[in-house]
Amino acid sequence: MSETFLGMPATAPRGVGHLRGDEPFPVAARRSLADAQLRRNLGHATATIRAKSAAVIDEVPDWQELRAAGRAIKTDVMARLPELLEQLEVAVTAAGGTVHWAADAVEANRIVTDLVRATGSDRVMKVKSMATQEIGLNEALEAAGIEPVETDLAELIVQLGRDKPSHILVPAIHRNRAEIREIFLREMPGVDPALTDEPATLAAAARRHLRRTFLSTRVAVSGANFAVAETGTLAVVESEGNGRMCLTLPDTLITVMGIEKIIPTWTDLEVFLQLLPRASTGERMNPYTSMWSGVAPGDGPQAFHLVLLDNGRSAVLADEVGRQALHCIRCSACLNVCPVYERTGGHAYGSVYPGPIGAVLSPQLTGVEDNASLPFASSLCGACFDACPVMIDIPSILVHLRAQHTAAYRSEHRLPSAEAITMAAAAYTMDHPQLYEAAQRAARVTRFAGRRGGGLPPPLSGWTIGRDLPQPPPQTFREWWAQR
């Protein structure tokens, strides 16, 4: 009997995985802003992706209708999630697969490690997977003496560079090709010392390096973009073909999937397979779309295991406002249009989920207080909402989470609401004309603080860190009226 029960919220455990940073966002962001090369890399990459995506989206006359359909499907999934997951389990089992339920990262890592050990293998090849990064699976496998090999080119660059991913879709977006060449020369066995930084040459070097892994490794670990409850079918979309190799060559395939990735029917795929490539890579369709249902005798992996991961998702589901974050299809469109992400990069967020979607998803998975600075890592400009292919209202969730943090802080320190204090003071001042006139005259002192409020004392100076201080008029209305 499963130990995972939807509707019993528990956040992701501490000390495992990559959902919590070592420092608050403002501290990490300042360091990123000082890295000129990082900002150039990010600016060039995000501008390129934005332009490609906009061009192919403009070709679709019913794009807004597709977005609305995607949102409707995801809303239906959240309303029926327990039922759909049980339907998926039945369908996968009937097709010869085995379903495992993991309450959190610790349990998921144990399940996958035990499954790999049971095969006798000491190495696994991996398809790019946000879920396995979230739970820290690579570290768990290495601790058990099992070598994980990333086969996605960008993930391989991150792994060889002993780095962390900084983008949902393009994990090595913070690296330029000269830096990638240096990583390959330093870390890739048997690489040509005369390797250049031409993209085709770098890709060919990676292909030669990975081909040995593809042909000699008997276990693969993947994520999943979608799982169809109706048929038990899993789907992975990618651009390089490494996923197809990992999903067809090994004897054993283990898929780790967040429980929110499920969709009800096969026909629902047609909506998302139009939305995802255009919003993510700026393509009309994904170059490789791989689907499989359980085990087919004599064809592909002969053992298939599906690990359904909660790890805080039930806690997100329990929040009527915040649960929209579970609609995310990991396209990264919100990152590519976000002015904050473009300037700070993904590492500043501290979580494997960066950018606007990370600012609303990570705090909910961990509990808001464990990622309290992330909901404030936004200008609330709304570009993310406009770009999201499933219409997640990220700005509203950000405001909702900010309110939760503020309420928790006030409760912990037994403080009255700052808004209530301000409004009470304003009401008293406006009710006493002489005091109100004195306040208007006193407001002129703020001229000496400058536009950014540098001359204001704490805590007032905190408000002006990210805002211009309004300049008072040279003459009040009362003074103007008296003159006339």
Side-chain angles (χ1 to χ4, degrees):
M1 183 175 178
S2 170
E3 295 180 355
T4 301
F5 297 92
L6 292 170
M8 297 178 62
T11 54
R14 295 172 179 168
V16 59
H18 301 287
L19 288 173
R20 298 169 175 88
D22 298 326
E23 55 191 358
F25 177 84
V27 176
R30 287 191 190 97
R31 187 168 55 254
S32 297
L33 289 170
D35 188 336
Q37 183 62 59
L38 172 67
R39 295 182 66 175
R40 282 194 294 271
N41 294 349
L42 289 168
H44 173 74
T46 53
T48 301
I49 297 172
R50 280 198 305 269
K52 287 183 60 181
S53 181
V56 294
I57 286 174
D58 285 345
E59 298 173 352
V60 184
D62 61 344
W63 179 253
Q64 296 306 322
E65 288 77 9
L66 277 172
R67 293 178 74 207
R71 177 175 62 179
I73 293 168
K74 284 293 188 175
T75 300
D76 174 56
V77 167
M78 295 307 117
R80 300 191 293 129
L81 191 53
E83 165 198 335
L84 292 173
L85 287 170
E86 290 179 353
Q87 183 182 1
L88 175 68
E89 181 179 31
V90 170
V92 170
T93 303
T98 303
V99 176
H100 309 261
W101 297 76
D104 55 31
V106 175
E107 191 171 356
N109 286 335
R110 177 184 57 76
I111 290 170
V112 175
T113 300
D114 288 348
L115 289 172
V116 176
R117 279 176 171 162
T119 69
S121 180
D122 60 0
R123 181 172 60 185
V124 300
M125 53 183 174
K126 293 186 65 205
V127 186
K128 181 179 180 300
S129 164
M130 299 300 296
T132 60
Q133 293 170 9
E134 172 190 327
I135 63 177
L137 179 61
N138 283 8
E139 292 86 345
L141 291 173
E142 289 169 351
I146 300 166
E147 178 192 6
V149 180
E150 298 288 353
T151 63
D152 175 85
L153 177 56
E155 291 287 1
L156 178 65
I157 293 166
V158 169
Q159 185 179 40
L160 291 177
R162 296 175 178 83
D163 202 351
K164 293 181 180 179
S166 63
H167 191 277
I168 289 176
L169 186 70
V170 192
I173 196 172
H174 56 289
R175 297 288 193 183
N176 60 34
R177 62 192 197 184
E179 293 172 315
I180 294 169
R181 172 183 176 272
E182 292 304 315
I183 291 172
F184 280 11
L185 287 173
R186 186 175 66 247
E187 302 291 342
M188 188 176 285
V191 71
D192 184 355
L195 181 72
T196 70
D197 65 359
E198 286 300 313
T201 304
L202 294 172
R207 187 179 295 115
R208 287 190 294 271
H209 170 71
L210 289 172
R211 188 165 296 277
R212 293 187 292 271
T213 300
F214 289 136
L215 296 176
S216 62
T217 306
R218 308 322 309 163
V219 181
V221 175
S222 82
N225 293 100
F226 308 103
V228 182
E230 177 183 58
T231 61
T233 303
L234 282 293
V236 165
V237 297
E238 37 108 10
S239 301
E240 299 172 17
N242 63 297
R244 182 71 55 82
M245 302 284 275
C246 290
L247 297 170
T248 55
L249 289 177
D251 299 326
T252 300
L253 173 61
I254 304 167
T255 297
V256 181
M257 185 190 83
I259 54 177
E260 80 280 14
K261 295 298 188 69
I262 196 168
I263 58 176
T265 68
W266 179 265
T267 55
D268 293 328
L269 274 173
E270 70 181 54
V271 173
F272 295 106
L273 293 182
Q274 292 180 79
L275 289 171
L276 181 56
R278 285 178 166 84
S280 58
T281 55
E283 296 170 302
R284 296 176 182 87
M285 64 180 293
N286 293 101
Y288 294 89
T289 299
S290 301
M291 301 183 189
W292 70 99
S293 303
V295 173
D299 182 16
Q302 296 303 289
F304 170 58
H305 298 270
L306 173 61
V307 181
L308 295 174
L309 176 69
D310 190 320
N311 204 42
R313 287 161 176 79
S314 286
V316 185
L317 185 65
D319 188 321
E320 293 184 2
V321 176
R323 69 175 57 150
Q324 284 186 72
L326 294 179
H327 295 187
C328 178
I329 58 174
R330 307 294 190 267
C331 70
S332 74
C334 61
L335 281 70
N336 299 328
V337 300
C338 177
V340 176
Y341 174 85
E342 184 175 347
R343 287 156 179 79
T344 64
H347 292 158
Y349 292 81
S351 167
V352 70
Y353 300 115
I357 189 62
V360 296
L361 182 58
S362 300
Q364 293 191 88
L365 291 174
T366 63
V368 174
E369 294 313 297
D370 278 16
N371 269 306
S373 65
L374 289 188
F376 297 89
S378 170
S379 66
L380 298 180
C381 67
C384 49
F385 183 28
D386 294 337
C388 178
V390 290
M391 294 183 170
I392 301 172
D393 190 354
I394 292 177
S396 292
I397 306 174
L398 287 167
V399 173
H400 173 66
L401 296 178
R402 290 179 185 188
Q404 285 188 5
H405 168 64
T406 302
Y409 182 85
R410 289 202 311 265
S411 176
E412 180 183 353
H413 295 86
R414 298 183 179 180
L415 297 174
S417 166
E419 182 179 5
I421 294 173
T422 303
M423 290 299 109
Y428 183 84
T429 301
M430 292 178 182
D431 198 38
H432 296 76
Q434 290 181 332
L435 184 59
Y436 183 60
E437 289 182 33
Q440 287 184 312
R441 290 193 296 270
R444 293 174 182 168
V445 177
T446 60
R447 290 172 177 273
F448 301 104
R451 289 186 63 210
R452 299 311 297 267
L456 291 176
L460 298 178
S461 57
W463 191 87
T464 59
I465 288 174
R467 306 170 180 86
D468 286 341
L469 186 66
Q471 292 293 295
Q475 188 178 45
T476 69
F477 175 80
R478 288 171 177 266
E479 290 169 340
W480 176 86
W481 183 261
Q483 288 179 359
R484 287 160 176 76

